[in-house]
Amino acid sequence: MKSNSTHDLTLDCEKLPLHVAIIMDGNGRWAKKKMMNRVKGHEQGSQIVRSIVTAARELGIGTLTLYAFSTENWARPKYEVQALMILLKKFIASERKELLKNNIRLNVIGQKHKLTSDVQKEVDITMELTKDNNKMLLNLALSYGSREEITSAVKQIAEKIASKSLDPKDITQDLISDHLYTKAMPDPDLIIRTGGEYRLSNFLLWQAAYSEIYISDTFWPDFTRDEFIEILKNYQERDRRFGKVACNTSNDG
Ligand code: FPP
């Protein structure tokens, strides 16, 4: 699905999504098409991460969440998992300066403790160094799975009930949100998936209740800043009703 707009890349700054989340899919197919190893696709993919983080920051998007490694991805061949860990480590270490310069805070959503110790180390250093940055929040979803996240929230809530620090009647949607990795963040306004598949793949299932979804056929390593802007334009043309009727619709006239 491509936006109808041609090459006008002007955005309405008043209507920017507060939170954009991206399922970066298609690295393997990109590499296969070029008769290369899948890892080459991930390498090229990490270059694109760089350019989209920069674009999001320049455009003024408050939160960007990137699905970089899922709880299911651990089941990939060992060499691929190792290559992804090395890429993540290199990316976080090499981008630290840029994140600081551009006032971007790095955060990880997911099972951080399951990552290799060298990735955890780079993550911890960078999260600490960037913790006061406030122009953009960059969330990397690493060893992330929405069902694991929700299960963990349910456990935390059950423990509070068992210890009598929470009354079941005080369980609200906000309370559940506060036990997710995305606590205190706005829900994603827009979820983009590259690579042409129409599914959420265990990504932000609770948070996606009213997200606009955009599927691009482009494989992630071919994704560009211009297509990103086109998608944001497409988002701005949508009528978000959150289950209600449009604001200019009235029954009395
Ligand atoms: C899905 O493509 C992509 C991943 C599992 C990894 C995403 C990783 C990167 C973009 C690079 C590293 C990330 C950062 C933040 C530096 P796939 O392999 O499932 O592609 P396929 O569906 O074509 O097989």
Side-chain angles (χ1 to χ4, degrees):
M1 188 172 70
K2 291 247 160 142
S3 161
N4 287 333
S5 10
T6 49
H7 292 291
D8 173 12
L9 299 179
T10 329
L11 286 168
D12 177 350
C13 299
E14 303 295 312
K15 279 173 68 182
L16 275 176
L18 292 178
H19 183 175
V20 177
I22 309 183
I23 302 173
M24 307 180 289
D25 196 21
N27 294 352
R29 281 167 287 161
W30 180 89
K32 192 173 175 197
K33 204 176 72 182
K34 295 190 174 313
M35 314 252 273
M36 292 193 236
N37 187 291
R38 296 176 57 79
V39 170
K40 287 279 170 219
H42 297 316
E43 282 171 11
Q44 179 59 22
S46 71
Q47 298 302 320
I48 306 304
V49 169
R50 206 160 267 137
S51 71
I52 297 305
V53 170
T54 306
R57 167 67 179 86
E58 284 171 8
L59 292 166
I61 287 162
T63 303
L64 177 69
T65 299
L66 301 175
Y67 203 7
F69 194 89
S70 73
T71 45
E72 290 72 28
N73 287 155
W74 291 112
R76 291 196 174 196
K78 202 169 164 204
Y79 83 91
E80 188 175 341
V81 171
Q82 275 174 351
L84 278 166
M85 289 299 136
I86 291 169
L87 269 179
L88 284 166
K89 181 182 130 187
K90 277 195 190 153
F91 175 84
I92 297 165
S94 68
E95 291 310 291
R96 196 174 290 136
K97 252 193 181 161
E98 279 297 293
L99 297 177
L100 280 169
K101 193 172 104 193
N102 291 302
N103 206 353
I104 300 172
R105 176 157 76 92
L106 179 80
N107 182 51
V108 164
I109 59 169
Q111 303 164 304
K112 185 156 73 82
H113 62 280
K114 289 210 173 164
L115 302 169
T116 55
S117 55
D118 49 350
V119 175
Q120 278 186 56
K121 189 175 146 209
E122 297 302 337
V123 164
D124 288 340
I125 295 172
T126 313
M127 279 176 63
E128 176 59 27
L129 276 172
T130 62
K131 71 177 189 304
D132 295 323
N133 289 356
N134 59 14
K135 278 288 175 221
M136 186 173 93
L137 172 63
L138 172 62
N139 270 325
L140 293 184
L142 300 179
S143 191
Y144 175 86
S146 197
R147 288 185 171 184
E148 183 280 324
E149 177 184 40
I150 293 169
T151 307
S152 154
V154 170
K155 275 190 196 150
Q156 293 169 52
I157 293 169
E159 277 160 16
K160 288 183 185 172
I161 292 171
S163 67
K164 306 246 184 277
S165 60
L166 178 70
D167 190 323
K169 73 172 172 10
D170 293 328
I171 298 176
T172 59
Q173 295 186 16
D174 284 347
L175 182 114
I176 294 172
S177 294
D178 283 347
H179 287 81
L180 300 175
Y181 295 122
T182 50
K183 167 185 172 169
M185 297 172 199
D187 285 339
D189 299 294
L190 172 65
I191 296 181
I192 300 169
R193 181 176 185 134
T194 61
E197 312 270 16
Y198 283 68
R199 55 177 172 263
L200 284 176
S201 299
N202 204 11
F203 188 48
L204 302 175
L205 301 181
W206 171 274
Q207 299 88 334
Y210 282 101
S211 303
E212 295 295 322
I213 298 181
Y214 190 103
I215 308 293
S216 161
D217 287 333
T218 307
F219 294 145
W220 178 252
D222 284 332
F223 196 68
T224 61
R225 176 195 174 94
D226 279 3
E227 184 172 358
F228 185 48
I229 297 175
E230 287 287 345
I231 294 171
L232 293 171
K233 274 193 64 140
N234 173 286
Y235 163 86
Q236 295 191 327
E237 285 156 12
R238 295 188 189 187
D239 178 20
R240 299 187 79 198
R241 293 191 298 279
F242 301 94
K244 302 177 188 133
V245 290
C247 37
N248 59 358
T249 306
S250 124
N251 289 332
D252 55 15

